[in-house]
């Protein structure tokens, strides 16, 4: 397994935000981490990334313990999240160049040019990040997240600020990159149709705990308790968000 | 320590400074303002006939070196604040960058900015008041290094506090050196202080640096005792502050404050 998360717990003072979460991600897999607001998705992702220290539990990535091999692990993974921004007063190229240096990317200029082209943002190369539209920022953020050709990519609501057309284009791009590189992806989104399209397996969180794990159709059947023959994650989501699941 | 990653952080700060008028002003405006202020004051004293020999050097030298100390500490902390304000700190620490590479980069960048700032202030003092600090540069170097080291220590401590207690206490960035100013004896000797405050003054590396500066500017041999005591105190505070900063950083990571400050 590429990622193994075991019995992960995070408490902020008296509040338990993540409560014994376990899951794994196989090489090349796209795993969806779903749940209503406050389910613990972003906290879990940020713990996997080492930005938040877990209260207890273990995270192993590429077979290595995160606490002992932080640098080695982070060189081979990346993240795009609305909680993580780029400096507003730097141009798109400057930002990408700095992050390419941080990841030790060789042939930085070629790599950046290739990503700017892939995300159709070559014209923004000299624009200040602070002057970009939210949709443009998402594309730059994704380009940044692919600079080091990660083996594991964490995508926290990557299409949240995009219009439906741009979101569809973005999904296609992510899937194409994933097919080409074989990277594994941990994906969160509130758009259930998007999750059904992108993810082969889902971990559904509720109040910090894993409610169910399985394919979209298995998750739908398990939570809705019906023998449906198609994924119905939107209904699942509403069902859980309305508190009809304990 | 990875040099490429340190260079990346230096570039990130340099790009920002280039487009940020506040940062350029901080680097040049305040040191020059101090030189003019104390320069006019010494001109006034000389006209009233109350000026002791050497006082111009003490006041202008104090203004320039205190400017170095204040600017270095402030800019160390502002470097981190700029990443907090732009929510870039979490993005940086999601890369292999370590916190000591990050702080090392801020240290290197601020050393360069300090050289630029102090040179500019000294140039203004020379042009406006024919005050030449450059001939003393070599002999003032120990005092200057002690000041820079203590500015780094104070900057590190304040940065740790801001990471842990969020930008609600960011005012410390600009105000903390003001608290140290009266007891650092920048413009007067320690003997001018009330007896009860003298132990506090001697516990600060800044006091040793300014006493050393006055001895040098008075034409006495560079006093080794001030340098050694200043350095020993600095090393003591540095060791304590490194441990404190590491503790604050880990507490901030535990609380999720690298990603969300509010």
């Amino acid at each position: 397994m590429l990622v193994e998360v075991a019995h992960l717990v995070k408490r902020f003072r008296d509040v338990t935000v993540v409560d014994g979460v376990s899951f794994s991600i196989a090489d090349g897999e796209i795993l969806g981490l779903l749940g209503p607001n406050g389910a613990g998705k972003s906290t879990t992702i940020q713990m996997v990334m080492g930005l938040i220290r877990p209260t207890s539990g273990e995270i192993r990535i590429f077979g290595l313990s995160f606490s002992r091999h932080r640098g080695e692990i982070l060189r081979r993974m990346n993240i795009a999240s609305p909680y993580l921004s780029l400096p507003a007063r730097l141009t798109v190229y400057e930002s990408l160049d700095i992050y390419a240096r941080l990841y030790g990317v060789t042939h930085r200029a070629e790599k950046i040019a290739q990503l700017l082209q892939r995300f159709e943002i070559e014209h923004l190369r000299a624009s200040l990040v602070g002057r970009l539209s939210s949709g443009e920022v998402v594309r730059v953020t994704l380009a940044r997240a692919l600079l080091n050709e990660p083996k594991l990519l964490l995508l926290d609501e990557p299409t949240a600020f995009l219009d439906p057309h741009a979101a569809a284009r973005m999904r296609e791009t992510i899937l194409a990159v994933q097919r080409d590189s074989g990277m594994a992806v941990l994906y969160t989104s509130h758009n259930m149709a998007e999750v059904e399209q992108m993810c082969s397996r889902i971990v559904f969180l509720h109040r910090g705990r894993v409610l169910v794990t399985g394919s979209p159709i298995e998750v739908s059947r398990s939570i809705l308790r019906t023998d449906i023959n198609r994924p119905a994650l939107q209904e699942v989501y509403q069902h859980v968000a309305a508190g009809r699941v304990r | 320590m990875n040099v490429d990653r340190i260079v990346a952080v230096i570039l990130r700060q340099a790009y920002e400074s280039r487009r940020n008028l506040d940062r350029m002003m901080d680097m040049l405006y305040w040191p020059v303002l101090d030189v003019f202020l104390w320069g006019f004051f010494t001109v006034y004293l000389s006209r009233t006939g109350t000026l002791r020999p050497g006082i111009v050097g003490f006041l202008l030298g104090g203004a320039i070196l205190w400017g170095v100390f204040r600017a270095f500490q402030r800019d160390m902390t502002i470097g981190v604040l700029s990443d907090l304000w732009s929510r870039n700190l979490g993005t940086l620490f999601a890369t292999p960058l370590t916190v000591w590479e990050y702080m090392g980069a801020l240290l290197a960048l601020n050393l360069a900015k300090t050289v630029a700032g102090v040179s500019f202030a000294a140039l203004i003092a020379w042009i406006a008041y024919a005050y030449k600090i450059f001939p003393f540069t070599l002999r003032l170097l120990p005092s200057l290094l002690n000041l820079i080291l203590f500015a780094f220590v104070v900057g590190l401590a304040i940065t740790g506090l801001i990471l842990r207690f969020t930008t609600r206490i960011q005012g410390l960035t600009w105000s903390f050196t003001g608290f140290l100013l009266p007891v650092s004896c920048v413009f007067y000797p320690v003997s001018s202080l009330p007896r009860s405050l003298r132990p506090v003054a001697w516990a600060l590396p800044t006091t040793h640096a300014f006493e050393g500066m006055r001895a040098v500017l008075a034409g006495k041999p560079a006093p080794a005792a001030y340098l050694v005591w200043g350095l020993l105190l600095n090393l003591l505070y540095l060791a304590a502050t490194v441990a404190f900063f590491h503790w604050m950083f880990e507490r901030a990571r535990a609380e999720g404050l690298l990603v969300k400050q509010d």
Side-chain angles (χ1 to χ4, degrees):
Chain A
M1 282 293 169
L2 204 71
V3 178
E4 287 170 279
V5 172
H7 314 297
L8 202 59
V9 174
K10 183 64 206 178
R11 282 190 207 98
F12 292 113
R13 294 185 180 85
D14 299 337
V15 182
T16 303
V17 178
V18 175
D19 191 4
V21 167
S22 298
F23 62 87
S24 58
I25 309 175
D27 208 358
E29 181 182 26
I30 303 184
L31 179 77
L33 194 61
L34 301 190
N37 287 338
K41 306 182 296 291
S42 292
T43 305
T44 300
I45 278 199
Q46 284 155 12
M47 282 194 282
V48 171
M49 210 63 213
L51 293 170
I52 297 180
R53 197 177 61 206
T55 305
S56 63
E58 195 184 6
I59 300 168
R60 290 183 74 82
I61 302 172
F62 311 124
L64 303 168
S65 164
F66 193 95
S67 52
R68 278 186 239 151
H69 299 273
R70 175 187 174 272
E72 200 178 334
I73 290 170
L74 289 178
R75 255 191 298 278
R76 296 158 66 191
M77 65 189 284
N78 214 320
I79 186 170
S81 164
Y83 296 113
L84 302 174
S85 305
L86 294 169
R89 286 197 173 101
L90 269 60
T91 67
V92 168
Y93 185 87
E94 287 166 352
S95 292
L96 294 177
D97 181 58
I98 282 161
Y99 278 92
R101 287 171 190 270
L102 289 171
Y103 283 105
V105 174
T106 49
H107 309 297
R108 289 191 307 274
E110 290 93 324
K111 186 70 198 170
I112 292 168
Q114 182 194 333
L115 286 166
L116 291 175
Q117 191 182 12
R118 179 149 223 169
F119 286 94
E120 299 168 12
I121 47 174
E122 292 143 301
H123 61 290
L124 301 177
R125 184 187 166 93
S127 303
L128 293 179
V129 171
R131 294 199 183 147
L132 302 180
S133 71
S134 46
E136 289 168 339
V137 169
V138 170
R139 285 189 279 170
V140 174
T141 303
L142 278 166
R144 188 205 63 78
L146 294 173
L147 276 168
N148 58 331
E149 298 177 6
K151 291 285 162 215
L152 171 66
L153 181 61
L154 277 53
L155 294 176
D156 191 7
E157 301 181 40
T159 58
F161 297 109
L162 299 179
D163 62 54
H165 175 70
R169 295 285 298 274
M170 192 56 61
R171 284 194 294 275
E172 284 166 20
T173 307
I174 293 168
L175 284 172
V177 173
Q178 195 270 338
R179 269 195 307 272
D180 295 347
S181 65
M183 68 181 174
V185 179
L186 180 60
Y187 197 94
T188 80
S189 174
H190 287 290
N191 181 335
M192 295 300 113
E194 181 173 293
V195 173
E196 286 170 10
Q197 181 195 348
M198 302 282 292
C199 304
S200 51
R201 207 159 57 88
I202 285 163
V203 174
F204 208 106
L205 297 180
H206 182 47
R207 293 176 186 161
R209 292 183 177 180
V210 176
L211 204 56
V212 61
T213 303
S215 66
I217 196 162
E218 286 168 345
V219 167
S220 305
R221 282 175 181 164
S222 171
I223 292 179
L224 297 175
R225 298 182 186 281
T226 58
D227 197 20
I228 53 173
N229 54 8
R230 57 168 180 82
L233 291 179
Q234 187 60 40
E235 285 173 58
V236 168
Y237 192 89
Q238 285 167 352
H239 196 80
V240 175
R244 292 203 284 270
V245 171
R246 292 192 180 276
Chain B
M1 288 272 189
N2 178 298
V3 175
D4 284 344
R5 294 200 287 263
I6 291 173
V7 170
V9 177
I10 290 174
L11 283 175
R12 177 262 177 276
Q13 295 289 336
Y15 289 145
E16 169 115 11
S17 297
R18 201 175 56 181
R19 297 197 181 90
N20 189 332
L21 196 60
D22 289 348
R23 297 238 199 147
M24 297 301 283
M25 290 281 281
D26 280 349
M27 193 167 80
L28 303 175
Y29 173 80
W30 292 112
V32 171
L33 193 74
D34 281 344
V35 167
F36 275 120
L37 180 71
W38 290 104
F40 289 142
F41 185 55
T42 53
V43 167
Y44 163 72
L45 288 180
S46 66
R47 282 179 187 164
T48 56
T50 53
L51 196 63
R52 272 181 50 203
I55 199 93
V56 175
F58 295 170
L59 291 177
L60 284 175
I64 292 170
L65 293 195
W66 183 254
V68 169
F69 175 73
R70 188 181 53 193
F72 197 96
Q73 175 273 312
R74 180 198 58 216
D75 290 353
M76 278 289 298
T77 315
I78 285 181
V80 180
L81 277 174
S82 67
D83 280 322
L84 284 172
W85 291 329
S86 62
R87 292 194 303 155
N88 184 49
L89 199 70
T91 323
L92 285 171
F93 287 116
T95 73
L97 178 73
T98 67
V99 67
W100 296 113
E101 286 166 351
Y102 181 70
M103 296 310 292
L106 293 182
L107 175 64
L109 183 74
N110 280 313
L111 277 175
K113 285 170 74 173
T114 297
V115 170
V118 78
S119 302
F120 193 62
L123 190 68
I124 295 293
W126 182 42
I127 294 168
Y129 307 107
Y131 173 66
K132 294 175 189 167
I133 200 169
F134 296 111
F136 297 103
T137 308
L138 207 60
R139 291 170 65 210
L140 283 177
L141 211 55
S143 292
L144 194 60
L145 289 177
N146 264 328
L147 280 176
I148 287 174
L149 191 54
F150 194 51
F152 176 71
V153 167
V154 174
L156 197 62
I158 293 174
T159 302
L161 286 169
I162 290 173
L163 288 175
R164 172 62 188 85
F165 297 104
T166 77
T167 48
R168 282 176 300 170
I169 59 161
Q170 66 186 16
L172 284 175
T173 305
W174 296 272
S175 62
F176 191 78
T177 49
F179 169 72
L180 294 176
L181 179 62
V183 277
S184 290
C185 302
V186 179
F187 302 110
Y188 41 79
V190 179
S191 56
S192 309
L193 288 180
R195 282 188 188 282
S196 56
L197 276 180
R198 288 180 201 172
V200 179
W202 285 122
L204 295 171
T206 37
T207 305
H208 295 269
F210 285 106
E211 287 290 343
M213 176 204 77
R214 276 187 287 273
V216 167
L217 294 179
K220 296 175 188 164
Y226 291 130
L227 164 69
V228 172
W229 271 109
L231 190 62
L232 285 175
L233 285 169
N234 259 327
L235 292 176
L236 181 73
Y237 292 137
L238 181 66
T241 307
V242 164
F244 174 75
F245 179 81
H246 186 259
W247 180 46
M248 290 287 101
F249 183 80
E250 285 305 316
R251 288 289 305 275
R253 201 163 74 87
E255 296 287 330
L257 297 172
L258 298 183
V259 187
K260 279 188 205 171
Q261 274 274 299
D262 299 318

